[in-house]
């Protein structure tokens, strides 16, 4: 009887091992379709097909997913909007680069950036990778991700979000910490508010690449829901002081000359600075908050999300600028 049990047990274990092997085998036919584009050697991005708002057509893929690859190791930064998207990233890294994901980094707590964490949950549970963020981002994900998951599912459809669940970061990054992957050294800058309450910025000085999360946009209107105009401008100034050659955020942008900043950084700053100036000018003219919808910015009408977010951004900026305007004194009004 004991001999029979040992035989049966061996068969069951063999079957389980076979199932595990099959389940973990990447789907290379789908993975090969991921259009990775090189930024610098070892750094790749998967950008959306087009600039636009979240919809069923793009399944929530409206911001880039980036990876750093060295040998058999990979780091994924802002893994994307869904379990399905994350699996494509994971499988593509295995198929195209022969690399396994060791780190996943969430720069800020927006659904389209972080919900693909669930595609890496099994490796997290097995101790094969870490999911990293600032402490503020982890806290914000705890608070907002349940509602964000429901909202994103409504907008893109249940099929696109199948298997997606909330997986929180496993460790908080500390300012000054350096993440090593091959020749790349990604330094963690002090998290600060701007686009959200805690925006993580990573700086690879050797390759002059900065990861700026939602702090940098291009042709898609910024969102001030959790951020502030002045804090955001300060964050952009801190990034500019690094003199990056390439920025990866909600857009991917490279400088056209050695001494210039990436155009997307300049465009983001220009929008925020003009928004600030127009709100203060409206106050100088004696307008009140109820008239804020009249503040139009024609240069940005063609940006995705202008109709949806411009009025909201003006209201947020108005609330923020009221004490600034009051403190300027009567001689400047």
């Amino acid at each position: 009887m004991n001999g029979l049990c040992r035989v049966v047990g061996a068969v069951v274990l063999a079957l389980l091992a076979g199932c595990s092997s099959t389940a973990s085998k990447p789907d290379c036919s789908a993975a090969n379709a991921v259009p990775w584009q090189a930024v610098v050697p070892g750094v790749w991005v998967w950008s959306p097909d087009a600039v636009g708002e979240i919809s069923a057509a793009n399944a929530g893929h409206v911001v880039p997913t980036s990876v750093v690859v060295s040998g058999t190791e990979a780091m994924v930064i802002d893994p994307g909007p869904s379990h399905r998207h994350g699996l494509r990233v994971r499988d593509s890294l295995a198929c195209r680069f022969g690399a396994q994901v060791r780190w996943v980094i969430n720069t800020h707590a927006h659904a389209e950036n972080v919900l693909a964490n669930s595609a890496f949950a099994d490796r997290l549970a097995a101790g094969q990778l870490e999911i990293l963020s600032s402490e503020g981002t982890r806290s914000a994900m705890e608070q907002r991700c349940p509602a964000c998951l429901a909202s994103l599912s409504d907008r893109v459809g249940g099929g696109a979000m199948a298997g997606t669940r909330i997986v929180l970061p496993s460790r908080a990054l500390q300012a000054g910490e350096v993440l090593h992957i091959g020749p790349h050294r990604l330094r963690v800058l002090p998290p600060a508010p701007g686009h959200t309450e805690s925006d993580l910025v990573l700086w690879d000085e050797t390759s002059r690449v900065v990861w700026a999360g939602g702090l940098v946009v291009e042709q898609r209107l910024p969102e001030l829901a959790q951020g502030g105009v002045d804090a955001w401008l300060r964050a952009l100034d801190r990034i500019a002081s690094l003199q990056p050659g390439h920025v990866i955020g909600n857009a991917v942008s490279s400088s056209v000359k050695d001494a210039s900043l990436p155009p997307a950084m300049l465009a983001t700053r220009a929008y925020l600075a003009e928004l600030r100036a127009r709100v203060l000018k409206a106050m100088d003219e004696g307008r009140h908050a109820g008239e804020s919808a009249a503040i139009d910015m024609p240069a940005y009408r063609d940006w995705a999300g202008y109709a949806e977010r411009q009025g909201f951004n003006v209201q947020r900026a108005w609330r923020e600028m009221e004490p600034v305007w009051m403190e300027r004194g009567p001689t400047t009004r």
Side-chain angles (χ1 to χ4, degrees):
M1 184 67 175
N2 287 342
L4 178 60
C5 288
R6 283 195 295 271
V7 171
V8 171
V11 171
V12 169
L13 287 173
L15 288 171
L16 288 173
C19 290
S20 175
S21 174
T22 301
S24 62
K25 185 178 180 181
D27 180 0
C28 289
S29 61
N32 288 337
V34 173
W36 294 111
Q37 295 178 312
V39 178
V40 297
V43 177
W44 302 78
V45 295
W46 176 16
S47 294
D49 292 335
V51 177
E53 292 297 276
I54 291 171
S55 67
N58 58 38
H61 183 201
V62 294
V63 298
T65 296
S66 64
V67 298
V68 184
V69 182
S70 180
T72 60
E73 294 186 326
M75 174 186 294
V76 179
I77 301 172
D78 286 337
S82 67
H83 187 80
R84 186 174 72 176
H85 185 96
L87 286 180
R88 285 189 67 189
V89 170
R90 174 175 168 168
D91 290 350
S92 178
L93 289 168
C95 294
R96 178 168 176 174
F97 300 103
Q100 296 295 320
V101 178
R102 292 283 310 281
W103 306 271
V104 174
I105 299 177
N106 299 149
T107 62
H108 62 291
H110 278 182
E112 61 269 31
N113 298 83
V114 305
L115 289 180
N117 282 1
S118 65
F120 306 92
D122 59 332
R123 290 182 57 79
L124 178 65
Q128 297 170 334
L129 63 71
E130 291 184 295
I131 300 180
L132 308 170
S133 74
S134 70
E135 186 59 49
T137 288
R138 190 185 193 283
S139 176
M141 286 175 65
E142 283 186 297
Q143 295 171 26
R144 294 202 300 268
C145 274
C148 291
L149 174 56
S151 175
L152 193 58
S153 298
D154 287 342
R155 296 166 73 182
V156 306
M161 300 299 290
T164 305
R165 60 187 179 88
I166 298 164
V167 176
L168 296 174
S170 56
R171 182 169 72 82
L173 289 166
Q174 303 301 314
E177 186 173 343
V178 178
L179 304 173
H180 298 252
I181 175 167
H184 299 278
R185 304 288 184 268
L186 279 64
R187 180 160 54 92
V188 179
L189 302 188
H195 172 56
T196 66
E197 55 274 271
S198 182
D199 295 299
L200 183 68
V201 175
L202 302 171
W203 170 234
D204 183 359
E205 185 173 5
T206 301
S207 62
R208 294 183 62 223
V209 177
V210 64
W211 282 264
L215 290 166
V216 175
V217 302
E218 191 170 36
Q219 299 297 314
R220 187 167 182 257
L221 207 73
E223 181 178 341
L224 284 169
Q226 292 92 34
V229 175
D230 282 351
W232 199 327
L233 288 169
R234 287 193 296 270
L236 290 174
D237 288 344
R238 285 193 295 270
I239 295 171
S241 71
L242 301 170
Q243 286 294 305
H246 315 271
V247 61
I248 302 173
N250 279 4
V252 180
S253 185
S254 297
S255 59
V256 293
K257 297 178 181 177
D258 287 344
S260 66
L261 292 171
M265 285 187 61
L266 300 175
T268 306
R269 198 185 198 291
Y271 170 80
L272 293 167
E274 183 176 339
L275 175 64
R276 186 184 196 278
R278 283 181 176 266
V279 167
L280 288 172
K281 184 174 184 293
M283 292 177 181
D284 287 338
E285 293 170 349
R287 295 181 180 271
H288 55 80
E291 299 176 275
S292 61
I295 298 178
D296 188 24
M297 296 171 59
Y300 303 96
R301 286 178 190 158
D302 293 336
W303 281 26
Y306 185 86
E308 294 83 358
R309 287 193 291 281
Q310 174 63 9
F312 176 83
N313 284 353
V314 171
Q315 290 281 354
R316 292 285 300 209
W318 192 287
R319 187 191 315 169
E320 181 183 347
M321 290 299 108
E322 277 184 324
V324 174
W325 183 79
M326 293 292 292
E327 288 173 8
R328 295 195 313 184
T331 60
T332 58
R333 291 180 187 173

